[in-house]
Amino acid sequence: MMQIKNCAALVTGGGSGLGAATAAHLASLGAKVTVVDINQDAARAQALTIGGLGIKCDVGDAASAEAAFATARAAHGPVRILVNCAGIGTAGRIVGREGPLALDAFERVIRVNLIGSFNMLRLAAAEMSAEEPLDGGERGVIINTASIAAYEGQIGQAAYAASKGGIVGLTLPAARELARAGIRVVTIAPGLFHTPMVDGLPPEVQASLGAGIPYPPRLGHPPEYAALVEHIVRNQFLNGEVIRLDGALRMPPR
């Protein structure tokens, strides 16, 4: 079982939502946490709260990500736990009232969600591979965040669903390749959670969304996501899998 205490952990999108909850939870378990976010103020504020390190980083940019890993390594040592929570959810129909969806809008979502996840994964995997194995032969754990939209993308979610579907497809080949180095790769596919995107909706809309979830009939709480992250890190036999965390929700077309 991988020990979390004193391990270096890096959480992207850690300034808010699922990432902030995960960073806080890992810190409470004794991990040395680096909070990475495109919003520098949010990263530093959360890091200050949990006693970690806050870094501004564009996960879709190679140089920015490399610099973030270098800074984190200098402060906490080589990363052993990576949790990719950074993501955006720009909506748009493929063909709307004003014509086809702008290609750069689609590209931006893919760049942040899919390319960003791969960018951080490749750098973490390289860093983990160069280190001595921990007890049990494990060198690290990489946890990506997909979405149930990868399976039941709604109308207007073409870009988002495609980006999250790519993360689902990345999981098994990454786990198979990195197995020889003792690195596990697991993906969580959350349903509807209290995140900044959802919390910005009117209360009645949030209540309606929650009521549509079979059980429990409410939106997910970020600490529930963080608790699953902890279990994945500790459970060495979890590898190459995508875990839905959605209260049995299956999304309708719209």
Side-chain angles (χ1 to χ4, degrees):
M1 182 175 73
M2 184 170 176
Q3 299 300 316
I4 296 176
K5 187 175 182 180
N6 295 323
C7 271
L10 190 150
V11 182
T12 74
S16 64
L18 302 179
T22 299
H25 188 56
L26 291 175
S28 76
L29 298 171
K32 296 177 287 187
V33 180
T34 298
V35 178
V36 167
D37 203 287
I38 191 68
N39 184 325
Q40 181 172 287
D41 291 340
R44 289 180 174 174
Q46 179 64 358
L48 183 63
T49 299
I50 66 173
L53 173 68
I55 302 175
K56 179 179 181 179
C57 174
D58 176 355
V59 296
D61 181 80
S64 182
E66 289 163 10
F69 271 95
T71 302
R73 185 167 57 252
H76 294 156
V79 67
R80 296 288 191 175
I81 301 167
L82 169 68
V83 187
N84 277 320
C85 291
I88 58 175
T90 307
R93 289 175 178 257
I94 298 169
V95 181
R97 293 179 180 177
E98 298 180 0
L101 179 69
L103 188 58
D104 60 354
F106 184 92
E107 185 178 30
R108 180 169 178 264
V109 175
I110 298 296
R111 179 179 176 274
V112 174
N113 295 358
L114 177 55
I115 295 176
S117 293
F118 178 78
N119 189 23
M120 303 303 284
L121 178 150
R122 72 185 182 94
L123 295 173
E127 189 165 298
M128 292 172 183
S129 297
E131 297 305 311
E132 290 298 315
L134 302 169
D135 291 343
E138 192 163 22
R139 284 187 170 85
V141 182
I142 296 170
I143 300 173
N144 292 320
T145 304
S147 166
I148 60 172
Y151 305 100
E152 301 111 37
Q154 296 183 296
I155 292 171
Q157 284 190 317
Y160 184 72
S163 71
K164 296 301 187 177
I167 293 172
V168 169
L170 171 65
T171 305
L172 185 57
R176 285 172 162 172
E177 178 182 339
L178 298 175
R180 63 184 179 183
I183 300 168
R184 293 185 289 122
V185 181
V186 179
T187 293
I188 301 174
L192 297 175
F193 272 70
H194 278 292
T195 63
M197 281 188 285
V198 173
D199 289 344
L201 299 173
E204 61 272 17
V205 174
Q206 293 186 42
S208 175
L209 290 172
I213 298 173
Y215 189 82
R218 59 165 175 79
L219 298 175
H221 303 309
E224 293 171 319
Y225 174 96
L228 181 54
V229 167
E230 178 191 352
H231 180 77
I232 292 169
V233 172
R234 294 190 187 279
N235 191 331
Q236 195 176 39
F237 211 57
L238 268 176
N239 192 17
E241 185 57 273
V242 181
I243 304 170
R244 291 181 66 127
L245 187 64
D246 59 16
L249 175 65
R250 298 297 180 268
M251 298 288 281
R254 57 167 60 85

